């Protein structure tokens, strides 16, 4: 595996990191858009097992990209996920990123309804106007709540 020198600019480090990931991945049976997502997931997690277990629904990446270009709001289940989103890049598309997990009204709603803050945060987010993209990575109850609505 290649090594990225310390004296490079952040953009060059990222470019070289993605090149190294591409070399390590080898050939994969994904669309170019899906491959970009796979590489980003591996870059974020350092987990090459995603090569075998990351699945895409047909057209999901294209639908997500189209929603972002229309100014969709990204809703995350954790502050960590929220922190990993480039707000300036999202703002250029007219979108924003939100995470309600620490909101006082979410904690109160969770207590009142006997559920988790994650599930209550999804409920709060569902009332937002416009298109929403939910990025769930840590809270199974958020995913379960979304599944109920679908």
């Amino acid at each position: 595996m290649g090594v990225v020198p310390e004296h490079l600019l952040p953009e060059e480090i990222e470019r070289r990191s993605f090149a190294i990931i591409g070399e390590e991945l080898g050939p994969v049976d994904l669309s170019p858009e899906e491959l970009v997502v796979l590489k980003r997931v591996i870059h974020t997690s350092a987990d090459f097992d995603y090569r075998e277990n990351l699945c895409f629904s047909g057209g999901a990446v294209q639908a997500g990209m189209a929603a972002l270009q229309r100014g969709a709001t990204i809703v995350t289940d954790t502050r960590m996920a929220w922190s990993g989103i480039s707000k300036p890049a999202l703002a250029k598309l007219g979108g924003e990123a939100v995470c309600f997990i620490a909101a006082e009204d979410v904690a109160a709603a969770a207590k009142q309804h006997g559920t988790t803050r994650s599930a209550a945060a999804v409920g709060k987010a569902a009332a937002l106007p416009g298109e929403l993209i939910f990025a769930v990575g840590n809270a199974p109850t958020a995913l379960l709540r979304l599944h109920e609505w679908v």
Side-chain angles (χ1 to χ4, degrees):
M1 181 183 285
V3 176
V4 178
E6 293 180 30
H7 66 278
L8 297 175
L9 295 173
E11 300 82 24
E12 180 63 15
I13 292 171
E14 182 176 69
R15 189 191 69 69
R16 297 219 18 215
S17 296
F18 276 87
I20 291 167
I21 290 168
E23 291 169 14
E24 291 294 314
L25 275 176
V28 292
D29 187 26
L30 296 173
S31 72
E33 297 86 3
E34 292 168 343
L35 182 57
V36 169
V37 173
L38 174 62
K39 286 181 178 180
R40 178 61 65 182
V41 169
I42 292 171
H43 184 261
T44 300
S45 66
D47 187 350
F48 277 84
D49 285 348
Y50 281 108
R51 181 185 198 282
E52 303 302 325
N53 57 36
L54 185 63
C55 300
F56 295 90
S57 297
V61 176
Q62 293 80 1
M65 289 170 51
L68 289 170
Q69 291 167 348
R70 290 188 299 268
T73 297
I74 300 175
V75 180
T76 67
D77 64 331
T78 63
R79 292 295 293 180
M80 180 181 275
W82 178 88
S83 296
I85 296 170
S86 171
K87 277 46 132 217
L90 195 53
K92 286 180 185 176
L93 298 172
E96 65 176 325
V98 298
C99 179
F100 296 127
I101 196 71
E104 289 182 23
D105 60 334
V106 166
K111 186 174 183 178
Q112 178 184 357
H113 298 344
T115 188
T116 65
R117 286 184 300 146
S118 298
V122 166
K124 178 175 180 163
L128 293 173
E131 285 186 272
L132 305 174
I133 296 173
F134 286 87
V136 179
N138 190 49
T141 56
L143 192 57
L144 289 170
R145 181 57 48 90
L146 287 169
H147 181 50
E148 289 172 5
W149 290 335
V150 171

